[in-house]
Amino acid sequence: MVEEEEEASGRLDFGEQGAGSVEGSVEHGLLRYSPEVWNALQARAPVVALESTIISHGMPFPQNLETALQVEAIIREHGATPATIAVLDGHPHIGLTLAQLHRIASGGRRVRKTSRRDLPAVMASRADGATTVSATMLLASQAGIPFFVTGGLGGVHRGGEVSMDVSADLIELSRTPVAVVCAGAKTVLDIPRTLEVLETQGVCVAAYGADEFPAFFARSSGCRAPARVDSPAQAAALARAAWSLGPTGFCGVLIGVPIPAEHEAQGAAIERAIKAALGEAESSGVSGSDVTPFLLKRVAELTGGASLAANIMLIKHNAAIGAQIAVAYHALP
Ligand code: PSU
Ligand code: MN
């Protein structure tokens, strides 16, 4: 395990903001920032948040680490600064070094899947936690980062009307003013009910360059998206309109980016694997926060890696568009 962290080159002096330097990161209040992210935020440059559960629980090592690094590179290529978020030794980190990314990617079960409700326990026990969409949104918002890119969103699980297994991601979108750019929700979930809960919670949902809300591996979910945007500038304007309504108005914004048509071919095989994995989850009694990681792992195994390849392609695609949206937001008049 790579544990050592580089000392920051040259002591950073952020005395005015009350920030200090800890093991190469900038400590400000509750949060520890990588120098790259801290400097970008101080300069009011566009920053894009990234979650870490997709690294620890969404993909196997070492593809997870390679993908995380490539996604960060894509965001930089598009003119924004990536900020991967995770909890290390109980401290929320905004922006990770290579060593810290490696620690999350290779940590196996030692790294805890951390949604909003888990943050206090992970912090108090000084554990390592990989943040889900809900916890990442909360920490990104506290860091002043309004844009966040990921692969797939959590949602209402199939049978959720009985189990009440509804991802905290949906509720977070109703509380926290961060725009989430993703490929929609996987059909391991109940997409119509997911959209119903988002409506009930007052979340602004748009599809990017499409009329339907996307279903991750498939462009079409059969569900019309409540709104449509066709460019980074339009997505940025939508987010600004939402946030202009103030703290008691709209909060999160969800932008669903469909999988590019040329990559959709594998969709049918993946759908069959999803059906099989759902049956296995039920018969082996997997429940709670283990359900999503179990399904993602089994679908990847059953498709011989095709779902993993699609996953990797999608998160990169979303990163390019999310970075363009963050840059467009900064350029709004
Ligand atoms: N869906 C995916 N990939 C993922 C996740 C969901 O296609 O990696 C992860 C995200 O971190 C998301 C979390 O926030 O799972 C949702 O978990 P749950 O269903 O337990 O709320
Ligand atoms: Mn759940």
Side-chain angles (χ1 to χ4, degrees), residues 17-311:
Q17 293 84 16
S21 173
V22 184
E23 293 168 357
S25 54
V26 180
E27 187 169 41
H28 183 62
L30 175 71
L31 307 176
R32 291 184 177 179
Y33 299 80
S34 69
E36 181 193 14
V37 171
W38 176 263
N39 291 335
L41 289 169
Q42 293 297 105
R44 305 202 173 280
V47 177
V48 174
L50 297 163
E51 63 152 309
S52 44
T53 294
I54 190 174
I55 303 173
S56 64
H57 290 69
M59 295 181 192
F61 183 79
Q63 288 96 329
N64 58 355
L65 178 60
E66 289 160 14
T67 304
L69 292 169
Q70 288 165 355
V71 164
E72 290 198 344
I74 288 166
I75 287 172
R76 289 190 190 97
E77 277 162 27
H78 287 85
T81 299
T84 304
I85 293 180
V87 181
L88 298 172
D89 296 326
H91 297 284
H93 279 252
I94 313 295
L96 303 182
T97 63
L98 174 59
Q100 291 166 338
L101 273 174
H102 187 280
R103 175 166 152 186
I104 292 292
S106 65
R109 288 183 165 265
R110 194 185 54 74
V111 178
R112 285 158 63 178
K113 177 180 169 186
T114 306
S115 77
R116 171 191 261 256
R117 63 118 197 241
D118 304 306
L119 274 173
V122 171
M123 290 165 64
S125 60
R126 304 207 167 277
D128 284 356
T131 50
T132 65
V133 170
S134 64
T136 306
M137 283 182 76
L138 176 63
L139 294 171
S141 163
Q142 294 198 356
I145 303 173
F147 291 94
F148 168 19
V149 164
T150 189
L153 186 74
V156 179
H157 280 265
R158 297 202 198 181
E161 69 276 24
V162 174
S163 66
M164 294 192 73
D165 191 349
V166 178
S167 177
D169 296 354
L170 304 185
I171 312 305
E172 199 63 39
L173 279 161
S174 72
R175 304 180 157 158
T176 303
V178 167
V180 179
V181 178
C182 68
K186 292 199 167 91
T187 52
V188 296
L189 301 168
D190 182 332
I191 295 177
R193 284 191 175 88
T194 297
L195 288 168
E196 289 293 347
V197 170
L198 288 166
E199 185 199 355
T200 304
Q201 296 291 330
V203 178
C204 172
V205 178
Y208 189 93
D211 291 322
E212 280 187 45
F213 187 72
F216 202 89
F217 296 119
R219 292 179 64 80
S220 157
S221 65
C223 301
R224 202 179 166 81
R228 171 179 175 141
V229 290
D230 284 291
S231 66
Q234 284 182 12
L238 184 73
R240 188 165 73 173
W243 299 328
S244 75
L245 291 161
T248 56
F250 277 88
C251 265
V253 174
L254 180 60
I255 312 269
V257 182
I259 186 170
E262 64 269 28
H263 292 288
E264 213 189 9
Q266 301 278 8
I270 295 174
E271 279 306 316
R272 282 194 295 279
I274 285 173
K275 290 218 167 63
L278 281 165
E280 287 178 24
E282 200 177 329
S283 59
S284 50
V286 180
S287 69
S289 62
D290 294 334
V291 173
T292 298
F294 175 88
L295 293 173
L296 297 179
K297 184 162 172 279
R298 281 303 287 148
V299 171
E301 287 164 0
L302 291 168
T303 60
S307 76
L308 177 61
N311 235 328

